[in-house]
Amino acid sequence: MGQSGRAQLPSSLLTPSPSPRSRPGQSTLTELDISVNPLLTDDVVDVIGRLPNLRRLDMSNLEITGKSLSDLFLLNNLRELDLSGCFSCSDDAMSRVSSLSRLTFLNLSGITEMTDAGFLHLCRMPMLERLEMRWCKKLKLTSVHERLTSTLRDLVLHSTRIQDDAILVLPPFLRRLDLSGCPLITDTALDHLQSQCPGLIWLDLDRCRGVSNAAVSQFRAHMPAACHVLHTV
């Protein structure tokens, strides 16, 4: 603990013993979990930005803002990033996160100030495979007319306010989709899914009260046998 009262990352994270593939003094750390630490704020992001070999970073439930995320742009090896529960982040954070072009996993669950404007930045992430956005209450996708990246295979939209037309921005090769707890989704969404995501193998419609049993049965009949649908109201 520093004199300022804020928790600090150990200096050893920045200067561990060098490996044959790293320059002297350069960190070889590849995974870092600093989640759920109320003492860590924007200052810590500057330190993390000096860990060029990071591949997995968990910053969930921290009091950080979108502005500080600019310090992560040098993490060219980062593949997985968890920002869930970072309530101070909003649309400006998405513009900075989208610059991490090699991310394959991104968790933005609980960022309640994110809107369609922030989501639009995520559509352009060229390697993203899994995206989680649970409880993003301002997310509707009604003003998004650009498809998500074609690399996306797994999408979680649990308890958001998206509507049926949001299905039209999903990529054709999507394999798993979680729409559970989305109150505005109706039978029309299933019609869109049949043509939009023909390779879907898992769909969660739990507590989607606007989706009828008849529509689910029809959807199952038109999709491959391997497609598993969860639906309880």
Side-chain angles (χ1 to χ4, degrees), residues 66-135:
K67 183 178 180 180
S68 69
L69 296 178
S70 297
D71 293 321
L72 300 181
F73 80 100
L74 290 176
L75 301 182
N76 295 321
N77 293 304
L78 196 64
R79 298 293 186 273
E80 301 182 16
L81 176 62
D82 191 339
L83 294 173
S84 59
C86 293
F87 301 114
S88 297
C89 290
S90 57
D91 290 339
D92 66 321
M94 302 307 107
S95 66
R96 292 169 171 83
V97 168
S98 64
S99 67
L100 299 169
S101 60
R102 302 184 75 177
L103 281 184
T104 60
F105 169 82
L106 178 60
N107 191 348
L108 303 171
S109 298
I111 299 184
T112 54
E113 294 303 309
M114 181 172 63
T115 70
D116 290 1
F119 179 87
L120 189 59
H121 293 290
L122 308 178
C123 294
R124 301 156 190 163
M125 299 184 71
M127 297 179 64
L128 198 60
E129 297 178 4
R130 179 175 172 84
L131 176 60
E132 299 185 12
M133 293 185 291
R134 299 176 179 87
W135 311 297

Side-chain angles (χ1 to χ4, degrees), residues 14 36 175:
L14 297 177
V36 199
R175 303 288 281 170

